[in-house]
Amino acid sequence: LDSLGKLTEAIAEYDKAIVIMKPLVENGRPELANDLAMAYLNKGVSLRGLGKLTEAIKFYGDAINLWEQMLIDGYPQILPNIAKSLGIRFDTHKAAGNTESAEKDIRRLHELLEFTKQHKEIEHFGEYIQTQIDNRS
């Protein structure tokens, strides 16, 4: 629906997914956290497409928070999702004139890049994170 330009309909479907998955994740189904975060991210993208920047930023934050928790819980493979979402949120902050908030997202991207450099097993994610930074410099 989103790719067909039916943003309002897409948002309604993301809302359905969120209503189903959120309580499951909150009640001990962490394997659904990535899917829930993707629903938040995609809803944010659709909201931005409708020009609802403030709402979009909120949903990007929901996605980022879930992925950050997954990172803490030992799932470093979601680093590209965090980086992509931070980049998207940065762009949306800039479009909304939120320079200070945009800078916080860039700082977090730099922190994640340093994190990958400290852990050999995930250093390959650093290139993707660096690309996200370079695309916004």
Side-chain angles (χ1 to χ4, degrees):
L1 292 170
D2 194 80
S3 62
L4 294 172
K6 299 179 179 185
L7 301 179
T8 303
E9 292 175 43
I11 290 168
E13 294 302 316
Y14 296 134
D15 283 338
K16 289 177 188 176
I18 291 166
V19 165
I20 292 167
M21 287 187 286
K22 186 176 179 183
L24 293 171
V25 171
E26 290 172 346
N27 290 309
R29 297 285 306 274
E31 71 274 14
L32 298 174
N34 185 58
D35 294 331
L36 177 58
M38 287 301 272
Y40 284 139
L41 176 66
N42 290 333
K43 181 176 179 178
V45 169
S46 293
L47 286 164
R48 180 173 177 176
L50 292 174
K52 298 179 178 185
L53 303 184
T54 302
E55 287 180 62
I57 289 167
K58 181 243 183 263
F59 283 96
Y60 299 148
D62 291 341
I64 292 165
N65 289 340
L66 271 172
W67 281 318
E68 290 275 8
Q69 185 58 53
M70 289 179 70
L71 182 62
I72 291 166
D73 291 343
Y75 296 94
Q77 64 271 25
I78 50 78
L79 276 166
N81 294 352
I82 298 171
K84 178 181 178 180
S85 298
L86 284 166
I88 291 169
R89 189 172 68 180
F90 170 89
D91 295 339
T92 307
H93 276 306
K94 291 288 273 190
N98 303 332
T99 306
E100 188 174 311
S101 295
E103 290 303 317
K104 287 180 184 177
D105 287 338
I106 285 294
R107 282 194 299 274
R108 182 61 182 141
L109 282 167
H110 282 284
E111 291 169 1
L112 291 173
L113 181 59
E114 287 305 311
F115 179 75
T116 64
K117 291 177 182 177
Q118 296 168 9
H119 299 85
K120 287 282 188 204
E121 69 279 7
I122 59 170
E123 67 184 351
H124 59 283
F125 291 128
E127 185 176 319
Y128 183 81
I129 295 168
Q130 185 64 57
T131 299
Q132 293 296 316
I133 293 168
D134 293 345
N135 288 343
R136 281 140 186 105
S137 296

